[in-house]
């Protein structure tokens, strides 16, 4: 990792649009830091860079090529998922809640087990950093509630006209899909062109996500960040799901 920059509190990130991966043996790894410094996470996202590391590692900052994205218009709402959404919407004891308890959603993502990846990368430092972003209005949670219980959800980051999906969880089959369907419908209503999914997985493929070249992602990111319509309201409920019915 000798060629990869170690960042201090005020050091800028290398620009992944202009500079090749510093160490070809670790493609996508842009920089390393001892910790997530104040303001660093917001700067990273606006350059298409995100942290992904485990406990007992330094903070590893990534900009992979290709980049997995979901265009909301490409979200695959299968017949079976459409039926699940219809029943969910008809159930008076079910709801979609936005930003009501960000901490509960990110903790649930951190402790969930999954086939595609483990949740241990959501360290206490990660939870603190994204909670700070949430308090600044740039990170949001979508919770799927049934009978008063948190059954699934996701959290994401938003700057300008860009949404970055972070992690999902399900305590009941398909509840994370309901959350993603709600987010995709909201994005369509608010002219969000794509949702960054970061990592390529079979699960995301099945929901309509696809990899695109890093260059294309970073160019679209700059367009989205400069959208004039940036005052989007992160206030919606399960009626947003009617888009898929």
């Amino acid at each position: 990792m000798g060629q990869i920059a170690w960042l201090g509190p005020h050091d800028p990130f290398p620009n992944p649009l202009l500079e090749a991966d510093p160490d070809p043996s670790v493609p996508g790894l842009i920089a390393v830091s001892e910790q997530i410094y104040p303001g660093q996470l917001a700067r990273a996202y606006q350059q298409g860079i995100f942290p992904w590391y485990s406990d007992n590692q330094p903070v590893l900052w990534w900009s992979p090529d290709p980049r997995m994205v979901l265009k909301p218009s490409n979200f695959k709402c299968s017949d079976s998922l459409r039926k699940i959404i219809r029943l969910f919407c008809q159930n008076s004891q079910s709801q979609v809640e936005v930003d009501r308890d960000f901490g509960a959603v990110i903790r649930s993502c951190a402790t969930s087990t999954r086939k595609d990846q483990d949740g241990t990368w959501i360290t206490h430092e990660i939870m603190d950093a994204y909670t700070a972003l949430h308090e600044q209005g740039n990170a949001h949670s979508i919770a799927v509630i049934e009978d008063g219980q948190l059954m699934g959800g996701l959290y994401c980051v938003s700057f300008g006209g860009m949404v970055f999906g972070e992690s999902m969880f399900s305590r009941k089959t398909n509840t994370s899909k309901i959350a993603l369907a709600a987010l995709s419908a909201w994005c369509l209503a608010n002219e969000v062109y794509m949702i960054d999914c970061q990592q390529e997985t079979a699960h995301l493929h099945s929901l309509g996500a696809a990899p695109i070249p890093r260059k294309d992602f970073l160019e679209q990111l700059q367009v989205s960040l400069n959208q004039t319509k940036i005052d989007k309201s992160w206030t919606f409920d399960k009626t947003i799901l009617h888009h898929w019915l």
Side-chain angles (χ1 to χ4, degrees):
M1 264 197 254
Q3 303 174 58
I4 297 175
W6 278 78
L7 304 180
H10 307 294
D11 292 332
F13 286 97
N15 187 336
L17 190 58
L18 301 177
E19 303 176 40
D21 291 345
D23 187 344
S25 68
V26 193
L29 182 60
I30 296 297
V32 180
S33 63
E34 184 177 357
Q35 63 186 72
I36 300 177
Y37 299 106
Q40 193 177 39
L41 193 57
R43 294 198 307 272
Y45 272 93
Q46 293 174 82
Q47 289 183 251
I49 299 167
F50 61 89
W52 186 42
Y53 64 104
S54 299
D55 276 327
N56 303 315
Q57 284 186 315
V59 181
L60 307 178
W61 298 95
W62 301 85
S63 181
D65 188 12
R67 187 79 166 229
M68 193 72 163
V69 302
L70 171 63
K71 296 180 181 179
S73 58
N74 290 344
F75 176 76
K76 290 183 179 177
C77 190
S78 64
D79 290 342
S80 59
L81 179 57
R82 189 172 288 108
K83 180 179 179 181
I84 290 165
I85 289 173
R86 182 176 291 108
L87 292 173
F88 178 84
C89 290
Q90 292 172 349
N91 182 355
S92 63
Q93 300 303 309
S94 70
Q95 189 52 272
V96 168
E97 296 179 349
V98 180
D99 288 343
R100 181 169 178 178
D101 193 341
F102 183 87
V105 172
I106 194 170
R107 287 192 300 272
S108 296
C109 289
T111 56
S112 291
T113 58
R114 61 201 78 197
K115 290 193 300 182
D116 293 310
Q117 58 184 347
D118 67 44
T120 57
W121 69 273
I122 305 178
T123 64
H124 289 293
E125 182 179 29
I126 284 285
M127 286 190 277
D128 289 345
Y130 283 88
T131 298
L133 269 191
H134 170 65
E135 291 169 352
Q136 296 161 16
N138 292 117
H140 303 278
S141 64
I142 298 175
V144 176
I145 307 296
E146 293 188 353
D147 297 319
Q149 300 297 312
L150 177 60
M151 301 306 295
L154 61 81
Y155 72 98
C156 60
V157 171
S158 177
F159 285 97
M162 184 69 196
V163 170
F164 308 81
E166 286 304 310
S167 186
M168 303 186 293
F169 78 98
S170 292
R171 291 176 180 160
K172 178 182 176 182
T173 303
N174 293 311
T175 49
S176 65
K177 292 182 182 179
I178 293 173
L180 185 57
L183 176 61
S184 297
W186 179 88
C187 287
L188 286 169
N190 287 275
E191 301 177 14
V192 173
Y193 177 73
M194 68 183 179
I195 302 168
D196 175 31
C197 300
Q198 300 176 349
Q199 302 294 331
E200 188 170 355
T201 68
H203 180 62
L204 289 169
H205 265 296
S206 72
L207 293 171
I212 63 173
R214 176 170 58 193
K215 179 177 181 291
D216 293 353
F217 170 78
L218 294 173
E219 289 175 351
Q220 180 58 46
L221 170 61
Q222 292 309 308
V223 172
S224 297
L225 290 175
N226 291 323
Q227 279 183 223
T228 55
K229 184 183 176 184
I230 61 173
D231 295 325
K232 298 175 174 59
S233 172
W234 282 85
T235 304
F236 58 91
D237 57 25
K238 69 179 181 182
T239 59
I240 197 78
L241 291 165
H242 291 170
H243 175 86
W244 305 110
L245 301 180

